[in-house]
Amino acid sequence: QVQLQESGPGLVKPSQTLSLTCTVSGGSITTNYSYWTWIRQPPGKGLEWIGYISYSGNTYYSPSLESRTSISRDTSKNQFTLQLSSVTPQDTAAYYCARAPRATINPNPREYDYWGQGTQVTVSS
């Protein structure tokens, strides 16, 4: 059974870079047709798709966040990492990693077969 676990700081100062890692167990991030995705949910708002890194290492980001977003991977550790630069309080959210079996920009949970439990990140000085 594939399991995902987010890790990273829960508090980030404005203008700094948010960095979160998703560790995958029970399956390889290089498995064909796997799209390893970051999604967030600000307080009181809906899910927002951030971006993915594919099984082949290709990345695709939300146009609204693309200038500040980078997703990378470490295949030796079976991990993928989100970096979001120049954060503001509006980036405060619960951040989730998830796996989609096809390329999608839809944050609807039905598009994903595996999710992490999520991690809360607060941007505050």
Side-chain angles (χ1 to χ4, degrees), residues 13-95:
K13 289 181 167 51
S15 81
Q16 292 188 342
T17 296
L18 178 161
S19 183
L20 296 174
T21 295
C22 184
T23 301
V24 179
S25 59
S28 172
I29 62 172
T30 60
T31 297
N32 282 351
Y33 308 112
S34 293
Y35 296 84
W36 303 96
T37 306
W38 287 98
I39 291 167
R40 69 181 183 181
Q41 186 168 29
K45 297 186 178 180
L47 294 169
E48 180 181 15
W49 183 85
I50 299 171
Y52 66 65
I53 186 164
S54 76
Y55 59 96
S56 61
N58 294 327
T59 55
Y60 188 66
Y61 305 128
S62 168
S64 66
L65 297 170
E66 183 173 14
S67 63
R68 300 193 291 128
T69 305
S70 177
I71 299 175
S72 59
R73 67 179 185 172
D74 185 334
T75 56
S76 67
K77 295 181 179 179
N78 217 36
Q79 296 175 332
F80 61 106
T81 297
L82 168 70
Q83 291 192 305
L84 185 66
S85 64
S86 304
V87 298
T88 71
Q90 284 65 46
D91 294 308
T92 293
Y95 284 77

